[in-house]
Amino acid sequence: LMERALVTVDRQGQVSPLPAPSQSFRATVRISPDGRRLAVVIRTLTEIGLWRYDLARGTLTPLASGAEAGAPIWWPDGRRLVFSWVTEGHDSIATLPADGTAPPSVLVPNAALRPSSVTPNGRQLAAVRTGVDSDIMIVTVETGTARVQPLLQTPFREMWPEFSPDGRWLAYGSNESGRDEVYVRPYPGPGAAQRVSVEGGDSPAWHPKGRELFFLSLADPAGKRRMMAVAFEAGSPPHVGTPRALFAFDPRDLVLVCTPVRCYDVAPDGQRFYGAQLKVPPPPPVVTHINLIQNWFEELKAKVPTGR
């Protein structure tokens, strides 16, 4: 199992470890609306469990175990978590109280969906239907029941749907141009999509104030990615600024890249990002000298004579 550490990264790319013990964290890290807790996923030899990390106390608390959890996101009031849940080979979307006072309850049964974002009013959930061509689905939650309808269902691959803080816009990624690019469109519509990225991108996230979008660039020839930022101003059409790079990183070290939903998260003040970093074991000691023993076989025969 691969050990990772929970970290924050500032807008200049400075990485700061959180005081949590290294675990086999999956890449997904999501911050609660109040900025005090993280939802994380930890893999063991027998399960993939959902845990809560308290930023002030530095403690990890298990929430859901005994199956395979993934892609956790917080409900807007911070009181519940929704996540993908695989039990006995069956995919579903489940939810539970963030304080762990009740076990998971299935919201959408028998559906290969990965939850991605919730509208501010908590009535609709954007999810990605996994498969050869991923599609964006909307789960409408009313009186404890859920209704699933397609939002973007095309021959192309659409992923990473993220509602804006006011719920009026949806950022997402699509490969309709031949490579992954980030787009934004009015939600629920009408209105055309507008491209946000210029030279490819994925994994969009909103600044909590809604006037800035972040996304990840595609890998350069050296394998490096960049955290990008672009100004956003609502309108018809919206004004989207020119993307600028905040910092570069190696995705083999700093794990911010995931499919089909985003795994890093943005702090409530928009000045830091939360993610996971590969915990590399220390290198073996450097060899500084070699002992050479001459005529060791003759010395061995003298000390241990053979009998006849």
Side-chain angles (χ1 to χ4, degrees), residues 79-90:
R79 299 172 64 180
R80 299 189 69 82
L81 284 159
V82 60
F83 53 99
S84 63
W85 188 234
V86 182
T87 55
E88 300 180 349
H90 297 287

Side-chain angles (χ1 to χ4, degrees), residues 237-307:
H239 174 72
V240 179
T242 302
R244 66 191 188 281
L246 297 182
F247 59 85
F249 67 96
D250 187 337
R252 294 165 294 188
D253 169 51
L254 190 59
V255 190
L256 305 179
V257 183
C258 291
T259 58
V261 299
R262 171 173 58 85
C263 54
Y264 72 91
D265 212 354
V266 184
D269 62 3
Q271 300 304 306
R272 290 162 294 135
F273 305 92
Y274 288 91
Q277 186 176 40
L278 183 64
K279 191 75 172 179
V280 180
V286 177
V287 176
T288 58
H289 67 276
I290 299 175
N291 294 325
L292 178 63
I293 302 175
Q294 295 180 319
N295 301 319
W296 67 272
F297 191 65
E298 298 300 325
E299 184 177 349
L300 177 63
K301 287 196 294 184
K303 290 184 177 182
V304 189
T306 56

Side-chain angles (χ1 to χ4, degrees), residues 108 113 117 119 123-129 135-141 146-152 161 163 170 187-188:
V108 182
L113 298 173
S117 182
T119 54
R123 294 177 182 171
Q124 293 183 308
L125 164 71
V128 179
R129 183 172 63 187
D135 297 312
I136 296 175
M137 314 296 286
I138 296 296
V139 181
T140 301
V141 181
R147 184 177 73 255
V148 181
Q149 295 175 299
L151 177 69
L152 291 175
F163 291 115
L170 183 78
Y187 184 81

Side-chain angles (χ1 to χ4, degrees), residues 49-205:
L50 176 64
W51 294 64
R52 185 187 70 240
Y53 177 70
D54 187 296
L55 288 164
R57 300 177 59 210
T59 55
L60 280 164
T61 302
L63 296 177
S65 58
E68 296 182 18
I73 56 175
W74 295 83
W75 221 252
D77 60 8
R79 299 172 64 180
R80 299 189 69 82
L81 284 159
V82 60
F83 53 99
S84 63
W85 188 234
V86 182
T87 55
E88 300 180 349
H90 297 287
D91 286 273
S92 63
I93 290 180
T95 181
L96 55 62
D99 60 7
T101 55
S105 61
V106 172
L107 183 65
V108 182
N110 302 317
L113 298 173
R114 298 294 178 266
S116 185
S117 182
V118 182
T119 54
N121 61 15
R123 294 177 182 171
Q124 293 183 308
L125 164 71
V128 179
R129 183 172 63 187
T130 58
V132 176
D133 294 317
S134 301
D135 297 312
I136 296 175
M137 314 296 286
I138 296 296
V139 181
T140 301
V141 181
E142 295 173 337
T143 63
T145 62
R147 184 177 73 255
V148 181
Q149 295 175 299
L151 177 69
L152 291 175
Q153 194 172 24
T154 74
F156 307 106
R157 182 182 65 186
E158 291 93 16
M159 297 189 287
W160 310 290
E162 295 290 335
F163 291 115
S164 62
D166 63 5
R168 296 174 53 205
W169 303 90
L170 183 78
Y172 64 98
S174 171
N175 67 347
E176 65 179 84
S177 69
R179 65 181 178 187
D180 286 327
E181 300 277 5
V182 174
Y183 298 84
V184 65
R185 60 186 294 152
Y187 184 81
Q194 184 166 334
R195 201 164 90 177
V196 174
S197 55
V198 174
E199 298 178 341
D202 60 37
S203 305

